[in-house]
Amino acid sequence: MTDPTDAINAHGAAVAPREGAHRARAPIPWWLCAAAVLLVAGCAAQAPSASLTRFDLGPPTIPAASAKGGANAAATTAAATHATHSAAAPSPDVVAAAGQRLSPLKVVVNAPSWLDVDTIYYRLPASDGDQARGYANSRWLASPARLFGDRLRAALSVDRPVLAAGDPSAAPALRVELEEFAQYFDNASTSRGVVQIRATLFDGPKLLAQTTLRAQAPAARADAAGGTRALAAASDAVQTQLIQWLAGRVPVPSAMTATHAPASSRGLPATSPAAGVPAQ
């Protein structure tokens, strides 16, 4: 583009050269341009990765109480956690012999859409709105449903074979709905990890029992690192409660049923998306 001063001179106007214009068009030192390019490139490449921290629940742990010795503890745990059961006492064909490998169990873990992401949630006191908020620079390594489910399967597999939901083998099925998984703040310096689940046990299309379990653990720090460790401890506690609750309730698949029943006879029944209960 032509400079305005050059255009006037082309028409014969007597215009004195402007010293400032020549200074403005002086070349910029090469080292200054190179430094600017490196600075911009460095900021663009490093900022996103340096500002995000990933957490998980840590390595799997063996539950403090396993199903082998939990028949007597099941009633105590249910009363302590105010669990509600929708089935009568276990039938005579349940697992009762201690020291034996327990019967197989199909396990599936679901969660609402807001827990099916990698956000680490925390809740402020009710006086501040009691809203679920997410940490800006910290994330789970996977969704809470995936992390909790992997940890639960590892805990259950100590005492019994754990099968996938679509496994063709004849086995009872356990569906776990993750209802709460967040760090609760009581004040600026005190918080706790809270985990709540709803567990439903099926034998094919038959509903055997259902319960709601909840556990919490104090956080050593009032940040994402403290919250994730507290949620790991709360997960272990609620899974121990679940194993105790299962004791004596999982029926033993008979050899006749396992041999002659259709592959889908003991699979998870179809569910209503909204309620998570057997479809009618």
Side-chain angles (χ1 to χ4, degrees):
M1 182 176 182
T2 304
D3 186 86
T5 303
D6 295 336
I8 294 175
N9 286 335
H11 289 84
V15 179
R18 294 187 301 174
E19 184 177 349
H22 290 286
R23 286 199 303 266
R25 292 195 298 272
I28 300 174
W30 67 270
W31 56 267
L32 186 59
C33 295
V37 170
L38 290 176
L39 179 62
V40 172
C43 292
Q46 297 176 9
S49 59
S51 62
L52 190 62
T53 304
R54 295 281 183 177
F55 295 91
D56 62 10
L57 297 177
T61 58
I62 298 177
S66 68
K68 290 180 180 179
N72 295 330
T76 303
T77 301
T81 58
H82 304 285
T84 57
H85 307 298
S86 61
S91 58
D93 63 342
V94 298
V95 177
Q100 293 182 347
R101 184 72 167 168
L102 300 181
S103 59
L105 185 65
K106 297 181 181 181
V107 177
V108 61
V109 177
N110 296 323
S113 58
W114 68 278
L115 277 176
D116 199 21
V117 294
D118 62 358
T119 303
I120 300 175
Y121 287 104
Y122 65 92
R123 292 184 183 274
L124 298 179
S127 58
D128 295 321
D130 193 23
Q131 298 177 351
R133 310 181 187 188
Y135 282 103
N137 299 321
S138 299
R139 294 287 188 275
W140 289 114
L141 192 61
S143 69
R146 175 66 180 273
L147 295 174
F148 184 88
D150 290 346
R151 203 171 181 86
L152 174 61
R153 293 182 185 92
L156 289 170
S157 65
V158 173
D159 292 326
R160 67 174 73 246
V162 175
L163 308 178
D167 193 290
S169 303
L174 174 69
R175 177 182 291 115
V176 177
E177 304 288 339
L178 191 60
E179 297 182 332
E180 180 65 306
F181 202 85
Q183 181 181 10
Y184 278 59
F185 279 87
D186 300 314
N187 51 56
S189 60
T190 304
S191 64
R192 51 204 160 89
V194 177
V195 177
Q196 180 172 311
I197 64 171
R198 184 174 74 254
T200 309
L201 183 63
F202 294 96
D203 186 16
K206 181 182 179 181
L207 173 64
L208 297 179
Q210 186 177 79
T211 187
T212 297
L213 302 170
R214 183 182 180 94
Q216 61 183 29
R221 297 168 48 177
D223 57 9
T228 55
R229 296 282 68 79
L231 284 166
S235 295
D236 289 342
V238 82
Q239 288 176 9
T240 296
Q241 295 175 12
L242 177 59
I243 290 174
Q244 293 174 342
W245 176 76
L246 284 172
R249 287 188 169 84
V250 181
V252 179
S254 66
M256 183 67 68
T257 301
T259 303
H260 299 286
S264 60
S265 64
R266 284 177 179 263
L268 285 171
T271 59
S272 167
V277 297
Q280 300 298 324

